[in-house]
Amino acid sequence: RLGAGTSGQVLQTGGSGANPSWGTVSSDFVKLAGGSHSGATNLVIDNLDVTSYNTFRIHLQNCLTQTSNTQTLFLRFRYDNSGTQTTYSVAAHTYVMRGRYAKGGSGDTGESSGTSEETGIRLNWALSKNTNDRYSQSFELMTSELNNTANHKDVRIMSYGTYYNNTEYSMYNFGAGICRQATQVFNGFDIYAAENWKGDYQIYGIK
């Protein structure tokens, strides 16, 4: 008879012909934060453990503007500035995205910082104006080595869903953004638009 395991253990099979045993679930992929954002221009996540986790994934769903205007989402990194969390807003960011749209029209699309450096990394074409929740969009973002003081910081970008501005489009974009700051340790994110927006979010850490 298998004895009682300890708190937090799970029952694991040993394979064909072997007895089950108690084991510990890997904590290499951990949900660090989550919730709903609404009624503000900026979603700020701070004080991430960049020593324990090498890679971070940000998932956003049900994203819409809360005004009659369409809005673009951007991302900036944040850091500990002598005890005060601060957004890195220097014009030192580049990005490029490519995608496609359908329904209201059909074709290829994309966004790019071109030859300039900007104050944030663009994440999408634009969020739908506040008309109906079914016109929402989702995002999957990934970044690594935020405590590396030798390299630029990069972000993988994927956005998809519906864009509505009196005409409905189904769309997706894939791309990447670069923060060209190599010497600063970052430990947070600021995802923002020019006007209020809403959505649900989850932050995951990967060791």
Side-chain angles (χ1 to χ4, degrees):
R1 181 176 180 270
L2 182 65
T6 60
S7 177
Q9 288 189 312
V10 296
L11 189 62
Q12 298 176 323
T13 178
S16 177
N19 292 324
S21 61
W22 294 108
T24 303
V25 177
S26 169
S27 60
D28 288 349
F29 193 113
V30 179
K31 183 178 179 181
L32 304 176
S36 296
H37 170 80
S38 181
T41 57
N42 297 65
L43 168 61
V44 173
I45 305 294
D46 275 335
N47 299 313
L48 295 172
D49 184 354
V50 297
T51 300
S52 298
Y53 300 99
N54 178 71
T55 300
F56 295 91
R57 293 186 63 122
I58 308 170
H59 290 209
L60 304 167
Q61 311 89 31
N62 307 315
C63 296
L64 284 166
T65 66
Q66 293 185 287
T67 71
S68 60
N69 301 313
T70 62
Q71 295 293 322
T72 301
L73 285 185
F74 293 85
L75 179 143
R76 293 172 177 155
F77 291 104
R78 285 171 62 82
Y79 63 98
D80 183 345
N81 183 11
S82 301
T84 301
Q85 284 296 118
T86 304
T87 298
Y88 184 77
S89 56
V90 176
H93 301 80
T94 59
Y95 58 83
V96 61
M97 292 185 292
R98 293 292 180 261
R100 190 163 179 84
Y101 60 92
K103 195 181 185 313
S106 181
D108 297 322
T109 185
E111 302 291 346
S112 171
S113 54
T115 59
S116 64
E117 296 179 19
E118 302 191 6
T119 58
I121 296 171
R122 187 167 183 161
L123 300 181
N124 68 331
W125 191 7
L127 292 178
S128 302
K129 63 183 184 179
N130 190 19
T131 304
N132 192 300
D133 283 350
R134 70 173 180 265
Y135 298 137
S136 65
Q137 293 175 26
S138 298
F139 299 78
E140 296 178 28
L141 313 172
M142 186 169 71
T143 187
S144 301
E145 297 191 333
L146 296 186
N147 64 343
N148 188 316
T149 56
N151 300 336
H152 294 163
K153 310 306 187 290
D154 56 79
V155 182
R156 187 183 71 182
I157 304 165
M158 181 164 58
S159 62
Y160 48 90
T162 303
Y163 170 69
Y164 181 81
N165 187 16
N166 299 323
T167 301
E168 180 184 339
Y169 299 90
S170 300
M171 52 73 63
Y172 71 87
N173 283 295
F174 295 93
I178 305 294
C179 175
R180 302 184 70 256
Q181 217 302 352
T183 61
Q184 178 65 59
V185 172
F186 293 113
N187 67 347
F189 309 103
D190 178 12
I191 299 173
Y192 65 97
E195 298 181 8
N196 290 354
W197 62 281
K198 64 180 181 179
D200 302 317
Y201 66 93
Q202 303 86 37
I203 312 296
Y204 297 91
I206 304 172
K207 294 183 178 179

